[in-house]
Amino acid sequence: MNGPPRVNVSVYDRCAPGYDPHVAYFRTFGRRLVDLAAPAPGERVLDVAAGRGACLFPAAERVGPGGRVDGVDLSPAMVAHLAADIEAGGTANAWAAQMDAQALTVPESSYDVVLCAFALFVMPDPGAAVDGFRRALRPGGRCAVSVPSMTLVPGDVEEVREVFRSYAERSGSPVFRRRIYGVDPGALLEAAGFTDVRAREETARFVFRDTAAWWEWTWSTGIRSFYEHLPADLLEELRRELFELLAPLETPDGLPPGTERPRFATARRPETDG
């Protein structure tokens, strides 16, 4: 096999049209990552695994007309939707292109800032991706990355996560054969030779209108790969069990809040390599 292994890109092609509905989950954390990176007016930013622009659009606001934001994603459908969103919004300083995060082909030392939100944890070789981030940055350039810590569940109902684990074991799903939520973004940056590495965990809570809204949202995430691996009868059985657990918790104000504790890390490429 040539090059690093690739993610199942077709899953994200199918996620793209209805990406991040109901609670603006990715947009919330994308904007936060941009805040931590603090791109300045006139800077060049590379947004890796850009999706539908959770980081790209707030970064474009920050760098202004004198700057530029390039969004790259492995999924052709994500890129097509992102390009359409850029055009529809009149964001003249942003572009979208297809590219593998684990094998970036951008010119070396060409960016002031590299961003990668909620993507390293699903990559088969996140170290290869982070090595590419360093090469893409100018000396002294900044990198900011983030990963989730868990599956977002209304009310943080542990029985829901247990149901997911049970069906993964029953189905032999390859999606859960590796511990995707164990990625340490700060350690990845340090291993790639970045300096001034700063890691932090933050907390945010999200309220879904009802169980159907949460179920729809999960289909717009990487969980979709797990669902699509299940036989139709097992998927329907899973859906029924999840609804039986969550529907009784619904109120006129929605389901109880679900908690996400993402891990963020920022760092710099050394001024001199050695």
Side-chain angles (χ1 to χ4, degrees):
M1 180 176 182
N2 295 323
R6 289 161 61 117
V7 300
N8 186 355
V9 64
S10 64
V11 170
Y12 294 94
D13 283 342
R14 293 186 289 278
C15 288
Y19 202 54
D20 204 20
H22 302 297
V23 294
Y25 173 88
F26 293 109
R27 283 165 283 171
T28 296
F29 294 127
R31 184 171 289 277
R32 179 58 179 148
L33 189 66
V34 171
D35 289 343
L36 292 172
E43 287 193 317
R44 289 174 56 91
V45 177
L46 177 65
D47 180 15
V48 181
R52 292 287 297 269
C55 290
L56 180 141
F57 290 109
E61 293 173 7
R62 279 182 171 261
V63 301
R68 172 179 174 129
V69 182
D70 293 332
V72 299
D73 201 286
L74 186 59
S75 161
M78 284 289 189
V79 171
H81 280 280
L82 179 57
D85 293 341
I86 289 170
E87 183 175 1
T91 309
N93 62 343
W95 287 262
Q98 186 181 3
M99 196 177 300
D100 188 344
Q102 299 173 115
L104 294 175
T105 56
V106 299
E108 186 170 346
S109 305
S110 55
Y111 291 94
D112 301 291
V113 178
V114 171
L115 305 169
C116 183
F118 280 32
L120 288 170
F121 78 116
V122 296
M123 295 180 194
D125 190 355
V130 174
D131 287 341
F133 300 170
R134 178 178 168 176
R135 288 191 299 272
L137 284 167
R138 62 167 175 79
R142 291 108 62 208
C143 182
V145 300
S146 62
V147 296
S149 62
M150 63 189 78
T151 300
L152 180 63
V153 173
D156 301 322
V157 177
E158 185 57 31
E159 289 89 342
V160 168
R161 296 191 177 97
E162 291 174 0
V163 168
F164 275 122
R165 286 191 286 268
S166 171
Y167 278 79
E169 292 172 1
R170 289 171 60 186
S171 68
S173 171
V175 177
F176 286 86
R177 284 180 186 163
R178 62 191 182 97
R179 188 168 173 263
I180 60 174
Y181 291 119
V183 171
D184 182 338
L188 283 171
L189 294 175
E190 288 178 348
F194 282 91
T195 60
D196 193 24
V197 176
R198 301 182 183 185
R200 61 195 296 160
E201 182 178 285
E202 299 188 0
T203 300
R205 309 188 83 190
F206 298 88
V207 176
F208 289 89
R209 179 183 68 246
D210 53 28
T211 308
W214 172 76
W215 176 251
E216 181 184 0
W217 175 82
T218 63
W219 279 91
S220 79
T221 74
I223 298 172
R224 185 186 192 110
S225 182
F226 170 54
Y227 292 160
E228 292 182 348
H229 179 80
L230 297 176
D233 58 339
L234 204 57
L235 176 61
E236 176 56 22
E237 186 180 327
L238 168 65
R239 188 197 68 79
R240 285 198 306 268
E241 283 200 37
L242 294 173
F243 272 65
E244 287 171 3
L245 284 168
L246 292 175
L249 305 180
E250 295 175 6
T251 73
D253 296 323
L255 284 163
T259 306
E260 176 59 270
R261 296 182 177 87
R263 301 182 185 99
F264 298 92
T266 58
R268 290 183 178 272
R269 177 178 173 173
E271 292 287 352
T272 58
D273 292 325

